[in-house]
Amino acid sequence: KKKFKIAKTGGLSLARQRAIDKRKKRIPRRLTEAEIRRNRSAFEEMDDLDKSLEEDLKELEKSTGEKPEEDLGEDPAEYVMEKSRSTDGKKEIYKVRKRDLGKREKNPPLRLAAFSGALITVSDSNDNSLSTIDVAWIPRYQFGETQKWEARLNFGVHSFEIKSAAVNESFLIYDIGAYLAYRIYQGLYFSLGFGVQQWQNTAGESYGTNSIGVGYQFDTYKLKVIDRLWLDYTAVGNTEENKEIKFALGLSF
């Protein structure tokens, strides 16, 4: 009988050694602490570069008065590494996720598809008061070197009610006005306006209005359509000297 010798490597047969090597290739290798630290350091450097770029863009905007175009493409700066622990608290877990950049858009100078919804509190010299809802179309135009100025029109409608010993009626008020606003700091602005109210009651009279207000325009949309909030105080030139306080949301499409 012929005898065959089996080649051995380190006390193991060649066939068995190959099987072990093949199995090792299938098993994912765990990262060492040093490798995790190196990866974390790399992502921290990316974040530092991203912050430095944002600061440079702000400086450029201040010096030129123009907002530079932002590159929102796929790049490493759009990803962040998060550190957390397992539920048993024994292991540190690192996750990489895409940074939420939000909806970034330049505000176009002319905005026609702009509307508002507001809560109005009305009071008069006879100590009467009520709250009502106002809806309006508010086309606007921003101008100036950095669009700090804004001209805005207001075509609104809200309900009103008069209760007295002589009169008890509910009706609508059509409100037409023009506003000029100036951006004080970032999105914060101050506005002045004048207009006219057409009361759809029995008398059917019209009254002039004067308004003063303050608001804030967001740099990104909230809930996809909300672009600003503002508070207005309006004096109506009627006999009862109505005063209106309006808290409004601006919506753009």
Side-chain angles (χ1 to χ4, degrees):
K1 295 181 179 179
K2 293 183 180 180
K3 294 183 179 180
F4 297 93
K5 291 183 179 180
I6 299 175
K8 295 184 179 181
T9 57
L12 296 174
S13 68
L14 183 59
R16 188 175 180 187
Q17 184 65 41
R18 286 177 178 174
I20 291 173
D21 291 342
K22 191 174 181 180
R23 194 180 307 118
K24 283 182 177 179
K25 290 180 180 179
R26 295 177 182 172
I27 299 174
R29 184 174 64 84
R30 291 187 178 181
L31 293 175
T32 64
E33 288 292 332
E35 288 173 323
I36 291 175
R37 282 195 295 272
R38 282 198 300 271
N39 291 337
R40 182 169 51 189
S41 177
F43 276 104
E44 287 174 352
E45 288 179 6
M46 290 181 205
D47 282 339
D48 290 340
L49 287 172
D50 190 29
K51 291 176 183 177
S52 176
L53 178 60
E54 288 179 0
E55 291 174 0
D56 291 343
L57 290 173
K58 288 180 181 178
E59 289 296 327
L60 181 61
E61 183 180 355
K62 286 180 181 178
S63 61
T64 62
E66 295 181 358
K67 189 172 181 180
E69 295 289 340
E70 296 182 47
D71 182 11
L72 299 181
E74 295 287 333
D75 61 65
E78 291 189 18
Y79 295 85
V80 292
M81 177 180 281
E82 291 182 338
K83 176 183 175 182
S84 60
R85 286 189 172 272
S86 59
T87 53
D88 58 9
K90 296 180 180 179
K91 296 180 181 178
E92 289 186 345
I93 301 172
Y94 295 89
K95 294 181 180 180
V96 177
R97 66 170 178 82
K98 190 172 182 180
R99 181 177 294 157
D100 183 12
L101 297 175
K103 185 178 181 181
R104 295 187 183 181
E105 281 189 3
K106 282 187 173 181
N107 284 312
L110 178 62
R111 178 75 77 174
L112 295 178
F115 304 89
S116 70
L119 176 66
I120 299 181
T121 300
V122 186
S123 60
D124 60 25
S125 57
N126 297 325
D127 295 328
N128 295 315
S129 65
L130 63 87
S131 295
T132 184
I133 301 297
D134 176 269
V135 292
W137 176 43
I138 52 170
R140 60 181 185 266
Y141 178 72
Q142 293 179 327
F143 56 96
E145 291 185 1
T146 56
Q147 296 186 2
K148 285 194 171 184
W149 291 93
E150 179 184 87
R152 185 176 82 243
L153 298 177
N154 184 93
F155 302 94
V157 59
H158 61 270
S159 62
F160 192 65
E161 188 176 68
I162 296 178
K163 284 186 177 182
S164 65
V167 180
N168 188 352
E169 60 180 330
S170 299
F171 53 92
L172 295 177
I173 293 178
Y174 296 116
D175 194 351
I176 301 174
Y179 293 80
L180 183 64
Y182 179 75
R183 185 152 45 92
I184 305 168
Y185 177 73
Q186 293 184 353
L188 185 66
Y189 66 88
F190 172 80
S191 67
L192 292 172
F194 65 93
V196 62
Q197 287 188 354
Q198 175 65 48
W199 290 29
Q200 302 299 303
N201 59 346
T202 305
E205 296 179 335
S206 298
Y207 305 102
T209 62
N210 294 291
S211 301
I212 185 172
V214 63
Y216 187 86
Q217 180 177 343
F218 304 114
D219 56 353
T220 60
Y221 289 111
K222 307 302 178 183
L223 302 178
K224 296 185 178 181
V225 294
I226 299 174
D227 68 345
R228 65 180 61 197
L229 301 171
W230 74 89
L231 186 69
D232 272 358
Y233 172 81
T234 301
V236 183
N238 60 337
T239 306
E240 290 77 16
E241 299 178 346
N242 281 26
K243 306 292 187 297
E244 298 180 353
I245 297 177
K246 178 192 292 186
F247 176 72
L249 291 174
L251 312 173
S252 293
F253 300 91

PDB file of all heavy atoms in Angstrom, residues 109-123:
ATOM      1  N   PRO A 109     -36.524  89.090  -4.670  1.00  0.00           N
ATOM      2  CA  PRO A 109     -36.919  90.477  -4.377  1.00  0.00           C
ATOM      3  C   PRO A 109     -38.428  90.681  -4.456  1.00  0.00           C
ATOM      4  O   PRO A 109     -39.007  91.356  -3.606  1.00  0.00           O
ATOM      5  CB  PRO A 109     -36.194  91.281  -5.452  1.00  0.00           C
ATOM      6  CG  PRO A 109     -35.055  90.418  -5.874  1.00  0.00           C
ATOM      7  CD  PRO A 109     -35.534  89.010  -5.747  1.00  0.00           C
ATOM      8  N   LEU A 110     -39.063  90.106  -5.475  1.00  0.00           N
ATOM      9  CA  LEU A 110     -40.507  90.259  -5.648  1.00  0.00           C
ATOM     10  C   LEU A 110     -41.202  88.960  -5.269  1.00  0.00           C
ATOM     11  O   LEU A 110     -40.888  87.904  -5.801  1.00  0.00           O
ATOM     12  CB  LEU A 110     -40.832  90.613  -7.098  1.00  0.00           C
ATOM     13  CG  LEU A 110     -42.321  90.764  -7.438  1.00  0.00           C
ATOM     14  CD1 LEU A 110     -42.935  91.912  -6.642  1.00  0.00           C
ATOM     15  CD2 LEU A 110     -42.514  90.967  -8.926  1.00  0.00           C
ATOM     16  N   ARG A 111     -42.131  89.063  -4.331  1.00  0.00           N
ATOM     17  CA  ARG A 111     -42.876  87.884  -3.893  1.00  0.00           C
ATOM     18  C   ARG A 111     -44.365  88.182  -3.997  1.00  0.00           C
ATOM     19  O   ARG A 111     -44.903  88.989  -3.253  1.00  0.00           O
ATOM     20  CB  ARG A 111     -42.508  87.539  -2.464  1.00  0.00           C
ATOM     21  CG  ARG A 111     -43.255  86.365  -1.879  1.00  0.00           C
ATOM     22  CD  ARG A 111     -42.774  85.037  -2.404  1.00  0.00           C
ATOM     23  NE  ARG A 111     -41.526  84.635  -1.794  1.00  0.00           N
ATOM     24  CZ  ARG A 111     -40.963  83.459  -1.997  1.00  0.00           C
ATOM     25  NH1 ARG A 111     -41.537  82.592  -2.818  1.00  0.00           N
ATOM     26  NH2 ARG A 111     -39.820  83.147  -1.422  1.00  0.00           N
ATOM     27  N   LEU A 112     -45.030  87.527  -4.966  1.00  0.00           N
ATOM     28  CA  LEU A 112     -46.466  87.733  -5.169  1.00  0.00           C
ATOM     29  C   LEU A 112     -47.308  86.705  -4.431  1.00  0.00           C
ATOM     30  O   LEU A 112     -48.389  87.025  -3.935  1.00  0.00           O
ATOM     31  CB  LEU A 112     -46.791  87.694  -6.664  1.00  0.00           C
ATOM     32  CG  LEU A 112     -46.172  88.816  -7.513  1.00  0.00           C
ATOM     33  CD1 LEU A 112     -46.530  88.628  -8.981  1.00  0.00           C
ATOM     34  CD2 LEU A 112     -46.625  90.186  -7.035  1.00  0.00           C
ATOM     35  N   ALA A 113     -46.815  85.454  -4.359  1.00  0.00           N
ATOM     36  CA  ALA A 113     -47.574  84.387  -3.692  1.00  0.00           C
ATOM     37  C   ALA A 113     -47.285  84.429  -2.193  1.00  0.00           C
ATOM     38  O   ALA A 113     -46.721  83.504  -1.608  1.00  0.00           O
ATOM     39  CB  ALA A 113     -47.215  83.036  -4.282  1.00  0.00           C
ATOM     40  N   ALA A 114     -47.671  85.550  -1.556  1.00  0.00           N
ATOM     41  CA  ALA A 114     -47.435  85.749  -0.130  1.00  0.00           C
ATOM     42  C   ALA A 114     -48.753  86.081   0.560  1.00  0.00           C
ATOM     43  O   ALA A 114     -49.523  86.918   0.077  1.00  0.00           O
ATOM     44  CB  ALA A 114     -46.423  86.871   0.083  1.00  0.00           C
ATOM     45  N   PHE A 115     -48.987  85.439   1.685  1.00  0.00           N
ATOM     46  CA  PHE A 115     -50.259  85.593   2.400  1.00  0.00           C
ATOM     47  C   PHE A 115     -49.975  85.645   3.900  1.00  0.00           C
ATOM     48  O   PHE A 115     -48.864  85.358   4.350  1.00  0.00           O
ATOM     49  CB  PHE A 115     -51.200  84.432   2.076  1.00  0.00           C
ATOM     50  CG  PHE A 115     -51.463  84.251   0.606  1.00  0.00           C
ATOM     51  CD1 PHE A 115     -50.626  83.446  -0.168  1.00  0.00           C
ATOM     52  CD2 PHE A 115     -52.522  84.893  -0.012  1.00  0.00           C
ATOM     53  CE1 PHE A 115     -50.844  83.277  -1.522  1.00  0.00           C
ATOM     54  CE2 PHE A 115     -52.747  84.747  -1.367  1.00  0.00           C
ATOM     55  CZ  PHE A 115     -51.904  83.929  -2.125  1.00  0.00           C
ATOM     56  N   SER A 116     -50.990  86.019   4.649  1.00  0.00           N
ATOM     57  CA  SER A 116     -50.831  86.058   6.107  1.00  0.00           C
ATOM     58  C   SER A 116     -52.119  85.601   6.782  1.00  0.00           C
ATOM     59  O   SER A 116     -53.219  85.753   6.244  1.00  0.00           O
ATOM     60  CB  SER A 116     -50.457  87.464   6.585  1.00  0.00           C
ATOM     61  OG  SER A 116     -51.565  88.347   6.430  1.00  0.00           O
ATOM     62  N   GLY A 117     -51.924  85.047   7.957  1.00  0.00           N
ATOM     63  CA  GLY A 117     -53.035  84.712   8.846  1.00  0.00           C
ATOM     64  C   GLY A 117     -52.741  85.339  10.190  1.00  0.00           C
ATOM     65  O   GLY A 117     -51.595  85.277  10.664  1.00  0.00           O
ATOM     66  N   ALA A 118     -53.734  85.982  10.800  1.00  0.00           N
ATOM     67  CA  ALA A 118     -53.448  86.738  12.018  1.00  0.00           C
ATOM     68  C   ALA A 118     -54.585  86.649  13.022  1.00  0.00           C
ATOM     69  O   ALA A 118     -55.754  86.459  12.658  1.00  0.00           O
ATOM     70  CB  ALA A 118     -53.185  88.203  11.668  1.00  0.00           C
ATOM     71  N   LEU A 119     -54.212  86.808  14.271  1.00  0.00           N
ATOM     72  CA  LEU A 119     -55.172  86.977  15.360  1.00  0.00           C
ATOM     73  C   LEU A 119     -55.163  88.451  15.739  1.00  0.00           C
ATOM     74  O   LEU A 119     -54.114  89.015  16.041  1.00  0.00           O
ATOM     75  CB  LEU A 119     -54.773  86.116  16.560  1.00  0.00           C
ATOM     76  CG  LEU A 119     -55.634  86.267  17.814  1.00  0.00           C
ATOM     77  CD1 LEU A 119     -57.054  85.771  17.553  1.00  0.00           C
ATOM     78  CD2 LEU A 119     -55.011  85.514  18.992  1.00  0.00           C
ATOM     79  N   ILE A 120     -56.351  89.084  15.694  1.00  0.00           N
ATOM     80  CA  ILE A 120     -56.462  90.516  15.986  1.00  0.00           C
ATOM     81  C   ILE A 120     -57.301  90.723  17.245  1.00  0.00           C
ATOM     82  O   ILE A 120     -58.383  90.142  17.397  1.00  0.00           O
ATOM     83  CB  ILE A 120     -57.124  91.279  14.816  1.00  0.00           C
ATOM     84  CG1 ILE A 120     -56.295  91.137  13.543  1.00  0.00           C
ATOM     85  CG2 ILE A 120     -57.277  92.754  15.164  1.00  0.00           C
ATOM     86  CD1 ILE A 120     -56.897  91.881  12.362  1.00  0.00           C
ATOM     87  N   THR A 121     -56.780  91.561  18.129  1.00  0.00           N
ATOM     88  CA  THR A 121     -57.548  91.998  19.304  1.00  0.00           C
ATOM     89  C   THR A 121     -57.940  93.454  19.087  1.00  0.00           C
ATOM     90  O   THR A 121     -57.072  94.311  18.859  1.00  0.00           O
ATOM     91  CB  THR A 121     -56.709  91.864  20.584  1.00  0.00           C
ATOM     92  OG1 THR A 121     -56.338  90.507  20.769  1.00  0.00           O
ATOM     93  CG2 THR A 121     -57.507  92.328  21.796  1.00  0.00           C
ATOM     94  N   VAL A 122     -59.242  93.731  19.137  1.00  0.00           N
ATOM     95  CA  VAL A 122     -59.767  95.077  18.866  1.00  0.00           C
ATOM     96  C   VAL A 122     -60.373  95.645  20.142  1.00  0.00           C
ATOM     97  O   VAL A 122     -61.118  94.960  20.857  1.00  0.00           O
ATOM     98  CB  VAL A 122     -60.832  95.050  17.752  1.00  0.00           C
ATOM     99  CG1 VAL A 122     -61.253  96.470  17.386  1.00  0.00           C
ATOM    100  CG2 VAL A 122     -60.312  94.314  16.520  1.00  0.00           C
ATOM    101  N   SER A 123     -60.055  96.917  20.423  1.00  0.00           N
ATOM    102  CA  SER A 123     -60.662  97.615  21.558  1.00  0.00           C
ATOM    103  C   SER A 123     -61.024  99.033  21.133  1.00  0.00           C
ATOM    104  O   SER A 123     -60.527  99.535  20.131  1.00  0.00           O
ATOM    105  CB  SER A 123     -59.700  97.643  22.757  1.00  0.00           C
ATOM    106  OG  SER A 123     -58.507  98.320  22.403  1.00  0.00           O
TER     107      SER A 123
END
